[in-house]
């Protein structure tokens, strides 16, 4: 265990935000889910007793008849905002006094940095370059992520759970987003803490060896099956991808129609919405990690090889 | 002569009396500045009054506060609902604008001066180092808070009807927030930024159709000197033109774009019925049948 190496990576000023993420994301997840559990308990009670449902104010926050339902923004909201601004300013001040922004040597095109990493928030995309060609990892995938995020509200046809924390009413949507968010963070984590010189895999705490060479022969799926004819290889690739999409789509369908509520929501989803949902769910949430594992565990480079592009 | 003298005397004392009176009035004003014409011309509302109507007017008649409604759901002021993340993100954007403008006074976007300007800023400009650090860390923090803001919006289901469009505006803000950070990365003109931007823009080479190494790029006549990467860098390598372009995107174009979308975002939060909750829970048995919705 090379603690010095680990410390060198963790304490890099530009990596501090990731360390902050490692603390903040779990904290806020817990903070949100705690309220979701409280709400879910309330929902359970209200569903068990229609009488209570008629009279209850239906929030987890205390309320008594006669209390104002609305508050003046001045001072009740503005004072919170002011306080938040003060706290953020203080945090930023302390951070800026104790930790200096990095400045390397002047830019020098003749001296390649090794490893040369993108800023941490894009390191996930850079890590994708290991698994896909640049046109896919660098262009198509980010586009898919952006479009996927934008269509998210339009394919979530669940009418419940607007404006309160809950898991039980929105399990599918939360799992979907949660898995995607988690994947994104894992990619950043790998790119930052695992990748060393030559973008090679060094476990956290393993010493970066700048002379290391890996003789790793990556194969394509078609090579493994023993096909050399390029057209046949393309057809095999298309079939493999097609089977994967169909199989995964079937699995996802089973997952999102498990409970009566899920089925009720499915009823409200039209074909276009459902296909869009399936496409993004399969592609980003399943195919992506699947391809990563194929590459990391079985050294498979391309699944689909065509004369024009490879995936 | 005498009357004249007398008159003069009384005229003089009248002036003095008048001046005395006015000084007295002025000191009265100083004791109660809120009663002056000057004050009233700026603030139309009596802020010391605490009745609901005056307080509501205080918010509505102030250009900076009128983004807010006058009143708000009693539980929405709780930190636990929004985590304050949208507001904090906006505050960081303001901090970045402020520190960014100050940084611009010390920075020339040229290959000869850029790196030296940073050294000068760090070692000679009073508080220069603090200024640069604050700009840098606020940028990183803003990305974290945007992600957390999104995460909150998902957890509370706030992206759903009628707020779908505002979610999309949010996604655009997310993209531009990231691009804002990324374009700033190159500006110190050091190894870190240079190679990060080299790696990043090399991907643009492979853009399908529009990049000279991407699928169908060559077929469409793309070369290293006319493709999308060339447009981003203003050349085929990361050099002086790329620095200038990054600078203009970073300091002018993207901040302007973000400001416009922020305006839309805040406007829509209000127009979509204010903040989404904490709303009373709805039960499964209360879902309206599909037919009646269409
Ligand atoms: C520059 C970045 C952004 C800023 C400054 C910003 C600011 C805000 C603010 C101040 C609010 C009021 C409530 C709150 O504080 O949570 C808000 C609400 C909202 N934001 Fe953002 N936002 C940004 C990015 C985003 C992103 C990336 C998304 C999602 C993709 C998003 C989606 C929404 C939605 C849907 C609401 C309404 C929430 C509700 O009614 O509960 N925003 N935003």
């Amino acid at each position: 265990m090379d603690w010095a190496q680990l410390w060198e990576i963790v304490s890099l000023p530009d990596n501090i935000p990731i360390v902050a993420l490692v603390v903040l994301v779990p904290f806020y997840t817990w903070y949100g889910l705690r309220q979701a559990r409280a709400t879910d308990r309330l929902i359970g009670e209200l569903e068990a007793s229609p009488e209570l449902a008629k009279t209850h104010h239906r929030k987890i926050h205390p309320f008594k008849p006669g209390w104002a339902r609305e508050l003046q923004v001045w001072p009740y909201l503005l004072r919170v905002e002011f306080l938040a601004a003060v706290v953020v300013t203080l945090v930023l001040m302390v951070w800026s006094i104790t930790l200096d922004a990095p400045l390397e040597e002047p830019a020098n095109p003749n001296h390649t940095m090794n490893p040369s990493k993108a800023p941490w928030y894009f390191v996930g995309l850079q890590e994708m370059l290991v698994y896909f060609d640049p046109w896919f990892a660098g262009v198509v995938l980010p586009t898919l992520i952006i479009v996927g995020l934008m269509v998210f509200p339009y394919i979530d046809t669940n009418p419940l759970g607007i404006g309160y924390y809950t898991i039980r009413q929105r399990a599918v949507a939360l799992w979907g987003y949660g898995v995607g968010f988690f994947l994104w963070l894992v990619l950043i984590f790998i790119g930052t803490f695992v990748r060393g010189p030559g973008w090679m895999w060094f476990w956290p705490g393993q010493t970066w060896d700048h002379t290391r060479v890996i003789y790793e022969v990556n194969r394509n799926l078609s090579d493994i099956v023993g096909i050399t004819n390029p057209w046949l290889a393309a057809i095999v690739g298309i079939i493999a991808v097609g089977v994967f999409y169909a199989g995964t789509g079937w699995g996802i369908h089973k997952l999102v129609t498990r409970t009566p509520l899920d089925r009720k929501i499915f009823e409200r989803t039209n074909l276009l919405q459902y296909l869009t949902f399936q496409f993004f769910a399969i592609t980003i949430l399943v195919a992506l990690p699947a391809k990563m594992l194929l590459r990391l565990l079985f050294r498979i480079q391309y699944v689909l090889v065509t004369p024009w592009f490879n995936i | 002569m005498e009357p004249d003298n007398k008159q003069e005397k009384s005229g003089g004392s009248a002036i003095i009396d008048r001046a005395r009176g006015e000084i007295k009035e002025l000191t009265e004003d100083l004791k109660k500045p809120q009663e002056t014409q000057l004050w009233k011309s700026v603030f139309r509302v009596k802020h010391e009054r605490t009745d609901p109507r005056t307080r509501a007017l205080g918010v509505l008649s102030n250009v900076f506060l009128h983004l807010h409604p006058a009143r708000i759901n009693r539980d929405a002021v709780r930190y636990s609902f929004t985590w304050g993340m949208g507001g904090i993100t906006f505050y960081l954007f303001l901090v970045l604008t402020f520190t960014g403008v100050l940084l611009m006074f010390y920075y020339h976007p040229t290959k000869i001066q850029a790196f030296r300007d940073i050294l000068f800023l760090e070692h000679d400009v009073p508080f220069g180092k603090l200024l640069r650090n604050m700009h840098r860390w606020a940028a990183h923090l803003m990305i974290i808070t945007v992600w957390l803001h999104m995460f909150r919006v998902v957890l509370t289901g706030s992206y759903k009807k009628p707020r779908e469009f505002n979610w999309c505006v949010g996604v655009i803000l997310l993209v531009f927030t990231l691009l804002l950070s990324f374009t700033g990365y190159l500006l110190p003109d050091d190894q870190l930024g240079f190679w990060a931007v080299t790696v990043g823009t090399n991907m643009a080479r492979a853009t399908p159709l529009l990049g000279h190494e991407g699928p169908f790029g060559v077929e469409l006549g793309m070369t290293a000197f006319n493709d999308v990467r060339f447009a981003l860098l203003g050349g085929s390598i990361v050099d002086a033109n790329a620095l200038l372009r990054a600078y203009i995107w970073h300091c002018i174009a993207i901040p302007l774009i973000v400001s416009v979308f922020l305006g839309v975002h805040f406007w829509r939060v209000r127009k979509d019925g204010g903040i989404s909750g904490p709303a009373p829970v709805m039960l499964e048995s209360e879902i309206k049948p599909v037919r009646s919705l269409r």
Side-chain angles (χ1 to χ4, degrees):
Chain A
M1 194 73 192
D2 184 350
W3 290 104
Q5 176 73 63
L6 189 63
W7 178 245
E8 198 184 307
I9 303 173
V10 172
S11 65
L12 218 61
D14 263 357
N15 286 347
I16 296 295
I18 310 183
V19 179
L21 268 184
V22 168
V23 179
L24 288 175
V25 173
F27 170 76
Y28 278 106
T29 309
W30 167 82
Y31 193 44
L33 293 189
R34 195 179 63 140
Q35 295 177 65
R37 263 201 310 281
T39 317
D40 287 350
R41 230 174 292 129
L42 175 67
I43 293 172
E45 284 166 27
L46 296 183
E47 271 175 351
S49 140
E51 277 313 301
L52 187 64
K54 258 180 223 151
T55 52
H56 198 276
H57 67 279
R58 296 194 171 202
K59 290 189 197 180
I60 53 173
H61 310 294
F63 184 77
K64 287 208 182 93
W67 284 9
R69 286 188 178 272
E70 293 193 321
L71 295 180
Q72 295 288 137
V73 158
W74 163 253
Y76 298 103
L77 178 62
L78 289 177
R79 71 179 180 196
V80 180
E81 292 180 345
F82 179 70
L83 204 64
V86 171
V87 171
V88 172
T89 311
L90 282 178
V91 168
L92 203 57
M93 277 287 188
V94 171
W95 188 354
S96 303
I97 289 170
T98 51
L99 206 67
D100 283 339
L103 185 68
E104 300 275 337
E105 291 173 8
N108 182 354
N110 300 317
H111 183 234
T112 315
M113 292 252 289
N114 189 14
S116 70
K117 294 192 180 185
W120 61 273
Y121 41 85
F122 280 147
V123 129
L125 291 179
Q126 200 181 357
E127 173 64 11
M128 293 310 305
L129 283 171
V130 174
Y131 314 102
F132 298 99
D133 281 352
W135 68 272
F136 193 84
V139 185
V140 174
L141 200 68
T143 311
L144 281 183
I145 294 175
I146 294 168
V147 175
L149 284 172
M150 285 206 182
V151 297
F152 196 68
Y154 299 98
I155 54 183
D156 181 358
T157 50
N158 181 353
L160 297 181
I162 304 178
Y164 50 90
Y165 291 90
T166 169
I167 311 172
R168 101 188 230 162
Q169 291 185 336
R170 299 183 47 231
V172 172
L174 293 187
W175 273 105
Y177 189 87
V179 169
F181 192 28
F182 184 71
L183 257 177
W184 180 244
L185 296 179
V186 166
L187 282 170
I188 292 177
F189 197 82
I190 295 178
T192 309
F193 294 112
V194 175
R195 295 298 178 177
W199 210 257
M200 280 185 258
W201 190 284
F202 292 86
W203 292 104
Q206 195 181 345
T207 313
W208 280 11
D209 175 2
H210 283 263
T211 57
R212 184 163 112 175
V213 180
I214 299 182
Y215 293 102
E216 206 175 49
V217 185
N218 290 319
R219 308 154 296 177
N220 298 336
L221 189 65
S222 53
D223 299 339
I224 295 179
V225 198
I227 292 169
T228 44
N229 180 316
W231 292 101
L232 211 56
I235 293 172
V236 167
I238 291 173
I239 293 176
V241 173
V243 168
F244 177 82
Y245 266 66
T248 314
W250 179 80
I252 289 179
H253 181 77
K254 286 280 152 204
L255 269 180
V256 301
T257 50
R258 256 180 38 242
T259 67
L261 174 61
D262 288 341
R263 283 192 289 276
K264 229 186 259 179
I265 297 166
F266 177 66
E267 289 290 304
R268 308 166 72 88
T269 311
N270 69 30
L271 187 65
L272 181 63
Q273 288 171 320
Y274 189 67
L275 290 181
T276 313
F277 158 72
Q278 280 280 9
F279 171 74
F280 283 106
I282 301 174
T283 310
I284 294 185
L285 302 184
V286 187
L288 209 85
K291 177 80 201 286
M292 286 174 65
L293 290 178
L294 280 182
R295 174 65 216 273
L296 290 174
L297 300 180
F298 304 108
R299 291 185 280 114
I300 289 180
Q301 173 126 30
Y302 298 123
V303 174
L304 175 58
V305 184
T306 75
W308 310 280
F309 60 87
N310 309 312
I311 296 178
Chain B
M1 289 296 269
E2 273 240 311
D4 267 43
N5 236 346
K6 218 176 183 181
Q7 240 178 17
E8 221 169 62
K9 214 175 179 183
S10 72
S13 72
I15 290 172
I16 288 168
D17 280 350
R18 198 171 155 194
R20 247 197 218 122
E22 283 187 15
I23 286 170
K24 202 171 165 205
E25 240 173 64
L26 264 178
T27 44
E28 289 296 308
D29 279 353
L30 281 180
K31 278 184 210 155
K32 277 191 193 156
Q34 275 119 316
E35 301 297 320
T36 60
Q37 182 190 0
L38 180 63
W39 181 283
K40 284 179 185 164
S41 72
V42 182
F43 303 104
R44 291 274 141 92
V45 180
K46 295 198 179 72
H47 282 269
E48 74 279 10
R49 278 172 53 185
T50 55
D51 59 291
R53 197 185 120 79
T54 316
R55 283 189 157 170
L57 272 177
V59 171
L60 296 181
S61 62
N62 181 307
V63 67
F64 299 108
L65 298 183
H66 91 287
L67 285 173
H68 297 93
R71 291 154 199 272
I72 179 171
N73 176 350
R74 67 172 295 123
D75 299 312
V77 301
R78 288 169 190 276
Y79 181 79
S80 63
F81 184 70
T82 64
W83 309 343
M85 279 305 158
I88 291 174
T89 309
F90 181 53
Y91 178 66
L92 287 170
F93 181 71
L94 295 181
V95 169
L96 283 162
T97 310
F98 181 71
T99 52
V101 168
L102 292 181
L103 285 174
M104 282 176 80
F105 286 129
Y106 297 99
Y107 180 84
H108 306 77
T110 66
K111 284 300 266 188
I112 296 171
Q113 296 172 87
F115 186 79
R116 291 181 202 178
D117 283 344
I118 306 292
L119 290 181
F120 180 66
L121 188 75
E122 291 209 332
H123 300 289
D124 297 291
V125 176
F127 297 107
K129 197 167 206 166
L130 181 68
L131 189 64
R132 173 161 187 251
N133 289 350
M134 280 189 77
H135 195 72
R136 181 88 164 200
W137 301 139
H140 284 319
L141 200 56
M142 183 171 167
I143 292 176
I144 295 182
T145 55
V146 173
W147 289 1
L148 289 175
H149 172 54
M150 267 177 93
F151 189 40
R152 188 287 290 181
V153 170
V154 171
L155 284 184
T156 55
S158 306
Y159 57 85
K160 299 203 229 190
K161 218 169 168 176
R163 297 181 179 80
E164 309 98 311
F165 178 69
N166 212 16
W167 164 271
C168 293
V169 174
V171 175
I172 291 170
L173 281 171
L174 167 81
V175 172
F176 279 107
T177 305
L178 293 173
L179 289 180
L180 204 46
S181 252
F182 189 63
T183 48
Y185 219 61
L186 183 66
L187 299 185
D189 198 25
D190 66 342
Q191 281 284 70
L192 204 60
F194 178 84
W195 287 104
V197 170
T198 303
V199 170
T201 50
N202 273 350
M203 290 192 213
R205 266 197 250 249
T207 312
L209 309 180
L210 296 178
H212 72 281
E213 286 176 6
F216 310 110
V218 175
E219 284 84 343
L220 285 174
M222 290 298 155
T223 70
F225 304 99
N226 66 2
D227 67 351
V228 62
R229 178 169 172 275
F230 190 91
L232 287 175
L233 296 179
S236 59
I237 52 167
V238 180
D239 203 20
N241 283 353
L243 189 60
L244 184 62
R245 288 195 184 196
Y247 176 76
I248 292 170
W249 279 114
H250 184 75
C251 301
I252 300 170
I254 303 183
L256 278 179
I257 298 171
V258 168
S259 305
V260 171
F261 279 101
L262 275 179
V264 178
H265 195 57
F266 296 156
W267 170 262
R268 287 299 291 240
V269 170
R270 294 287 306 279
K271 293 295 149 181
D272 293 340
I275 205 76
S276 61
V281 300
M282 186 173 153
L283 302 180
E284 201 181 318
S285 52
E286 294 161 352
I287 298 181
K288 291 194 194 77
V290 191
R291 292 274 172 269
S292 68
L293 284 173
R294 291 228 177 108

